[in-house]
Amino acid sequence: MTKREITVLGGAHIDRRGRISDTTVPGASNPGTWFEEAGGGGFNAARNLARLGHRVRMISPRGGDPAGEIVAAAAAAAGVIDCPFTFLDRKTPSYTAILERDGNLVIALADMDLYGLFSPRRLQQRATRELLAASDLVLMDANLPPETLTALVGAAAGTSRILAGIAVSPAKVVRYSQSLSGLDFLFMNEAEARALTGAEAGAVEKWPSLLRSAGLSGGVVTRGGKAAIAFDRENACLAVPPALPALADVTGAGDALASGFLAARLDGIGLAGCLRHGIAAAVLALHSPFAAAEEMSAENLEQVLALVPEPQMLS
């Protein structure tokens, strides 16, 4: 593996997760446990990519509060070069989720107004322009405003640079609508793919054509424990994740998949191999109680890779 220069722009905030201890009873008090850590789609991916051996810089707005200090400490612990712009009179964004006993999401609340201050003007700063120009991969997430995503795709465009996005949620993925044609890959689940296209695939094999019709040239659509599909301009492939006896937490699994996939792409691996690497990284995340698995490493990824079946090429 060759160490690459990566810039990530997007969410870096506080994740709060409550996990119900028994069968969920809606509309009632449920016994459970509470956990808090740094998170965010972009930040999870940044930490994964740094642990896979790359030089990663994270650009994100932050408040001047203790939550912001937690994020900064998490960046340092993972080896991410932290490049925030801080609003001392604001609070750091947060994501609060309630999980079932088995780790699946019940409901979540995102308090993320601060990301609205990440305007296109921020991309015009000399330091940011220089970082983008020197990057082999620019990764963004949909916590950024739509006009910023569009400006970022334009500012980072380059023939040898990979531009990729993380969907974050069905409500936010539509922020990519004006910038889809500039992305090499977008990582999403089926709910996010439906929100983006306004269509129902019916069969998973239909997603590449639907997303290409929307203007996207490459991406991955995940479906929990069911087959995931990846596509680029020429090809598409399908892979079934290995069955797992138990999940520590589903939080961050999609971000890990994006990280494993993109790390493989940076190494020149083909589409099917990238999907296998992405699924292997997601498996590591699913076995971890953290949104960005501390066990993420190139060595551990290679070991898990043996559990992931060869993808089926569709075109």
Side-chain angles (χ1 to χ4, degrees):
M1 185 201 75
T2 302
K3 178 178 285 192
R4 305 288 187 168
E5 298 288 335
I6 298 172
T7 301
V8 183
L9 305 96
H13 49 253
I14 289 297
D15 268 351
R16 301 183 180 99
R17 300 196 294 280
R19 188 160 184 159
I20 296 170
S21 300
D22 208 333
T23 302
T24 303
V25 182
S29 176
N30 288 262
T33 56
W34 194 250
F35 180 70
E36 182 176 279
E37 64 168 338
F43 191 44
N44 293 339
R47 287 180 287 170
N48 290 329
L49 287 162
R51 286 170 173 147
L52 289 173
H54 296 290
R55 183 176 172 86
V56 183
R57 292 175 172 84
M58 181 77 211
I59 302 176
S60 185
R62 192 169 305 160
D65 55 6
E69 295 172 5
I70 292 173
V71 174
V80 173
I81 301 167
D82 195 21
C83 306
F85 49 93
T86 304
F87 297 86
L88 295 176
D89 60 340
R90 306 264 183 161
K91 63 179 181 179
T92 297
S94 65
Y95 171 82
T96 303
I98 301 298
L99 306 176
E100 298 270 15
R101 180 175 53 183
D102 62 5
N104 284 304
L105 180 67
V106 176
I107 195 168
L109 187 149
D111 180 4
M112 308 211 171
D113 288 348
L114 187 63
Y115 292 133
L117 299 183
F118 196 143
S119 68
R121 180 175 57 86
R122 296 279 176 180
L123 303 176
Q124 298 171 9
Q125 296 176 351
R126 180 178 177 181
T128 302
R129 288 189 284 109
E130 290 176 348
L131 282 181
L132 296 177
S135 297
D136 300 297
L137 164 65
V138 174
L139 177 62
M140 62 203 79
D141 75 26
N143 284 306
L144 302 182
E147 62 274 14
T148 305
L149 292 171
T150 301
L152 177 55
V153 168
T159 55
S160 61
R161 184 177 303 115
I162 298 173
L163 297 185
I166 295 173
V168 176
S169 72
K172 292 182 178 180
V173 69
V174 295
R175 296 178 179 180
Y176 288 110
S177 296
Q178 301 303 311
S179 54
L180 288 177
S181 62
L183 293 175
D184 295 298
F185 295 100
L186 179 61
F187 297 88
M188 70 205 97
N189 59 32
E190 275 200 308
E192 292 156 350
R194 285 193 293 269
L196 188 61
T197 61
E200 178 59 69
V204 64
E205 293 85 356
K206 301 294 185 182
W207 279 124
S209 62
L210 287 169
L211 289 161
R212 285 171 180 147
S213 295
L216 186 63
S217 62
V220 177
V221 180
T222 59
R223 304 162 65 236
K226 300 177 183 178
I229 192 163
F231 69 99
D232 56 20
R233 287 177 174 83
E234 295 86 23
N235 302 301
C237 62
L238 193 69
V240 179
L244 300 177
L247 304 180
D249 195 335
V250 299
T251 305
D255 308 325
L257 186 144
S259 307
F261 184 104
L262 291 169
R265 198 68 169 186
L266 286 168
D267 279 344
I269 294 174
L271 184 68
C274 289
L275 183 55
R276 286 188 73 226
H277 279 76
I279 291 173
V283 169
L284 283 172
L286 288 167
H287 279 106
S288 171
F290 303 109
E294 293 180 344
E295 297 79 13
M296 188 69 68
S297 68
E299 295 76 17
N300 288 340
L301 190 62
E302 282 297 320
Q303 291 181 6
V304 177
L305 198 60
L307 303 175
V308 183
E310 287 291 337
Q312 172 191 356
M313 296 303 299
L314 302 178
S315 61

